[in-house]
Amino acid sequence: MNKTELENILHYMDEDIMTMDGFDEAFIGFSRRCGQPTLATYSFEKMLQVLIDRDGMDVQEAEEYISYNCVGAWMGELTPVVMYECDEYYG
């Protein structure tokens, strides 16, 4: 997904949704729970690929970057979600 497509989706939803800079290609949708705000959701695998392709990181560097700077960053109740597929760990 490119930045324009993501911006169009967010505009259509008409909600306050926080996104992660530099990971538009890894955006996969939204997460919702009863009584909670809608959260942007990103694929861990796609985030890894962005960092490998764009920034030249190896897999370990990319995993550490995501763990510390994305998963480990609390930016309030609208902090985006990083989704890990089960087969990434149990496949």
Side-chain angles (χ1 to χ4, degrees):
M1 173 168 301
N2 66 42
K3 187 148 192 87
T4 303
E5 292 170 327
L6 180 55
E7 288 172 351
N8 287 338
I9 291 170
L10 296 176
H11 177 74
Y12 173 76
M13 291 190 66
D14 193 32
E15 293 185 44
D16 291 327
I17 297 172
M18 183 182 297
T19 59
M20 287 192 215
D21 290 338
F23 289 104
D24 296 342
E25 299 89 357
F27 175 81
I28 57 172
F30 301 97
S31 297
R32 289 186 168 158
R33 289 187 359 201
C34 182
Q36 300 296 314
T38 300
L39 304 176
T41 304
Y42 293 81
S43 163
F44 174 76
E45 273 299 312
K46 290 181 180 186
M47 291 174 76
L48 274 179
Q49 202 59 53
V50 166
L51 293 173
I52 291 167
D53 294 344
R54 183 190 68 203
D55 299 343
M57 293 184 187
D58 64 34
V59 173
Q60 183 177 353
E61 289 173 319
E63 287 176 341
E64 288 175 5
Y65 181 93
I66 294 166
S67 177
Y68 182 79
N69 295 292
C70 302
V71 174
W74 177 251
M75 297 173 284
E77 69 176 5
L78 297 177
T79 301
V81 172
V82 176
M83 186 200 69
Y84 297 80
E85 295 182 41
C86 289
D87 62 351
E88 291 174 23
Y89 295 99
Y90 306 108

